[in-house]
């Protein structure tokens, strides 16, 4: 089969003769219909931070059709449309045993700890797939995982309906979170350096563009600042700015991946009683995300790219790393565009 493999730092290539993965008991084989490129895929490409071995096939945002089942796989059946739960916990810690896999200290992900979805086929334990409605094109299934992360971030933010919120970063997680918050009746201000993406979000989500200028923030929130900020950039400069501009008693939720260690004045947190909360993947939001997809489709269509072939994936990485993509999610179609797409 064909697969795109990460061979080392800054080395990702199409491999045309990858052996089909073996099928252990309790596992299923999936013909991958759609897979999304995530910011963590790019982070692994340039840093290798979470990759347990190489070469490895990245891609944890994926959907497809079950083509083979082995052993006891519960209710899964041949021909069923499914999406992947990207999280891989240790299975032994108290968090894993309680179902809070995202809090596992040894948490790994599909495409890092095992081969992922940038391939024509992927094999996963049956426990790591969820059914996806066959009436919905599978390209939207690749959005379930990032939508679950955005839902978890929104839940962590805990802002009441009608509250004004700043979302820093209009990429996949920030953009989808802005969409969810806007639908809940919040006024959402988006800080996004890509002008085309900023305009895309304003046009299709109704968000308010926000610059990094302090005068712009003061005009929107007064000198007290906003009560709620969600950061999806992972940029240390943005985090430092957010801590300075958050209102006393306000809440900052971090959903981005940091490449550098921020310099935070912890006296701000003490003196202003700020709340800073992290977001590790998602908890139990995947079923909710799947249920939301049908109502979101008209908006999602404006936020995703057309499906690219596997051979184009290295170029798509370069395009994304250069900050040239205005759409929120770049999709790959490992088996081409067919009736399920």
């Amino acid at each position: 089969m064909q697969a795109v493999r990460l061979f080392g730092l800054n080395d990702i290539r199409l491999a045309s003769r990858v052996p089909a993965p073996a099928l252990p008991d309790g596992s299923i084989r999936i013909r991958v219909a759609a897979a999304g490129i995530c910011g963590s895929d790019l982070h692994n490409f340039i840093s290798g931070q979470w990759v347990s071995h190489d070469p490895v096939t990245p891609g944890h945002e994926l959907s497809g059709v079950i083509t083979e089942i082995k052993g006891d796989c519960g209710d899964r059946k041949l021909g069923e449309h499914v999406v992947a739960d990207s999280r891989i916990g240790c299975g032994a810690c108290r968090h894993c045993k309680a179902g809070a896999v995202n809090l596992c200290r040894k948490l790994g992900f599909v495409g890092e700890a095992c081969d992922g979805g940038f391939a024509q086929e992927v094999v996963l334990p049956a426990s790591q797939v969820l059914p996806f409605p066959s009436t919905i094109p599978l390209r939207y299934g690749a959005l379930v995982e990032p939508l679950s992360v955005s839902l978890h971030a929104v839940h962590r933010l805990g802002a009441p309906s009608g509250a004004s919120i700043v979302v820093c970063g209009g990429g996949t997680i920030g953009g989808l979170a802005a969409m969810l918050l806007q639908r809940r009746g919040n006024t959402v201000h988006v800080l996004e350096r890509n002008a085309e993406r900023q305009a895309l979000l304003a046009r299709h989500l109704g968000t308010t563009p926000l610059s990094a200028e302090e005068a712009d923030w003061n005009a929107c929130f007064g000198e007290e600042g906003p009560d709620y900020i969600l950061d999806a950039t992972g940029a240390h400069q943005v985090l430092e700015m957010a801590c300075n501009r958050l209102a006393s008693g306000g809440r900052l939720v971090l959903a981005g991946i940091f490449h550098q260690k921020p310099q935070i004045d912890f006296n701000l947190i003490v003196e202003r009683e700020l709340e800073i909360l992290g977001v590790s993947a998602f908890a139990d939001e995947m079923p909710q995300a799947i249920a939301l997809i049908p109502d979101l489709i008209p908006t999602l269509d404006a936020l995703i790219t057309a499906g690219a072939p596997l051979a184009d994936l290295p170029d798509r990485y370069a395009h994304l790393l250069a900050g040239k993509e205005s759409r929120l999610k770049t999709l790959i179609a490992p088996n081409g565009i067919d009736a399920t797409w």
Side-chain angles (χ1 to χ4, degrees), residues 273-318:
E273 294 195 356
L274 305 181
E275 293 183 60
I276 301 181
L277 304 178
V279 172
S280 177
F282 50 92
D284 56 359
E285 283 88 1
M286 283 199 90
Q288 185 181 352
I290 293 171
L292 284 172
I293 291 286
D295 288 340
L296 300 179
I297 283 176
T299 303
L300 294 176
D301 281 336
L303 306 180
I304 61 178
T305 68
L310 278 174
D312 286 1
L313 196 145
D315 288 340
R316 299 290 171 145
Y317 265 45

Side-chain angles (χ1 to χ4, degrees), residues 57 79 93 133 147 156 173 250 265 277:
T57 301
C93 70
L147 184 60
R156 295 282 282 166
I173 302 306
D265 180 358
L277 304 178

